[in-house]
Amino acid sequence: MKFTLEVDMGDTGWDGDAARELGRILRYWGGNLQHYELKPGDGSALYDSGQREVGAWRITASSGARAQE
């Protein structure tokens, strides 16, 4: 399986506060993942502290080439 987390920091990286916002997003979702089975198809939208959707995480099946590495 493959876990992907993608975040759009916008043109300004939250006005120079990217480390704080990314840290908050990672802490929140790191703690929240326990509520998911973490199987292909699972995922959710990600929101910044202003409750704006800024990305998503998802679980997908591994590609054949990566699974053999």
Side-chain angles (χ1 to χ4, degrees):
M1 291 186 292
K2 181 177 178 181
F3 175 86
T4 304
L5 185 138
E6 194 168 7
V7 177
D8 183 348
M9 298 189 316
D11 294 334
T12 64
W14 290 290
D15 298 324
D17 210 9
R20 183 175 178 195
E21 281 293 327
L22 287 172
R24 189 197 65 76
I25 289 167
L26 291 170
R27 281 189 306 277
Y28 179 82
W29 281 103
N32 199 41
L33 288 172
Q34 65 185 336
H35 300 290
Y36 292 85
E37 291 183 50
L38 297 181
K39 63 184 184 341
D42 283 350
S44 184
L46 301 174
Y47 298 89
D48 67 8
S49 60
Q51 297 304 306
R52 294 174 294 262
E53 187 172 332
V54 294
W57 69 266
R58 63 193 161 279
I59 301 287
T60 56
S62 296
S63 65
R66 298 280 308 207
Q68 295 175 5
E69 291 180 6

